[in-house]
Amino acid sequence: VQLQESGGGLGQPGGSLRLSCAASGNIAIIYDMGWYRQAPGKEREPVAIITGDGTIYYADSVKDRFTISRDNVKRTVSLQMNSLRPDDTATYYCSMRILPTWGSQENYWGHGTQVTVSS
């Protein structure tokens, strides 16, 4: 099982960026999908999570600015980031809790994609 992120890069304050993450491999079920971020010198923190039944959690710092969505057919999760702020600068990681076609469920992580918000 592999997760591949795309998107990110340089965004301006007040601007928008979109992140996407696609899962591939021998997958039976994908449960939770989410995005986490880690800024320099800080711990990794959850940004937005969407469960298998569509329940959504947002960190307080991104509520009303970021939107998470999932496509179960394409096995993707996306994060639309609007009204960007400099403190959104971080490496963003995709995570999915997956049951592979064999074995037990576990959390999988992407390699991370850099988001920098600066004018």
Side-chain angles (χ1 to χ4, degrees):
V1 175
Q2 291 186 327
L3 303 185
Q4 181 64 55
E5 296 128 335
S6 61
L10 177 64
Q12 294 200 345
S16 299
L17 287 172
R18 184 176 180 84
L19 305 180
S20 293
C21 175
S24 62
N26 296 317
I27 297 170
I29 302 172
I30 301 178
Y31 299 99
D32 304 342
M33 296 180 174
W35 290 94
Y36 294 70
R37 68 186 181 187
Q38 186 167 19
K42 295 187 177 181
E43 294 187 354
R44 189 175 299 186
E45 61 177 4
V47 175
I49 298 169
I50 182 167
T51 67
D53 65 2
T55 302
I56 293 175
Y57 158 86
Y58 291 108
D60 288 342
S61 60
V62 307
K63 279 181 182 176
D64 301 322
R65 299 190 300 121
F66 291 8
T67 302
I68 189 171
S69 60
R70 64 187 285 166
D71 185 322
N72 293 323
V73 174
K74 295 181 179 179
R75 297 173 173 175
T76 60
V77 61
S78 298
L79 186 68
Q80 178 66 40
M81 305 184 293
N82 299 328
S83 302
L84 287 167
R85 306 186 314 211
D87 61 1
D88 293 321
T89 296
T91 301
Y92 284 70
Y93 297 89
C94 167
S95 178
M96 298 186 188
R97 187 161 61 92
I98 294 173
L99 175 67
T101 52
W102 59 271
S104 56
Q105 62 175 284
E106 60 182 272
N107 288 325
Y108 291 84
W109 293 86
H111 293 295
T113 185
Q114 179 66 35
V115 170
T116 302
V117 182
S118 174
S119 56

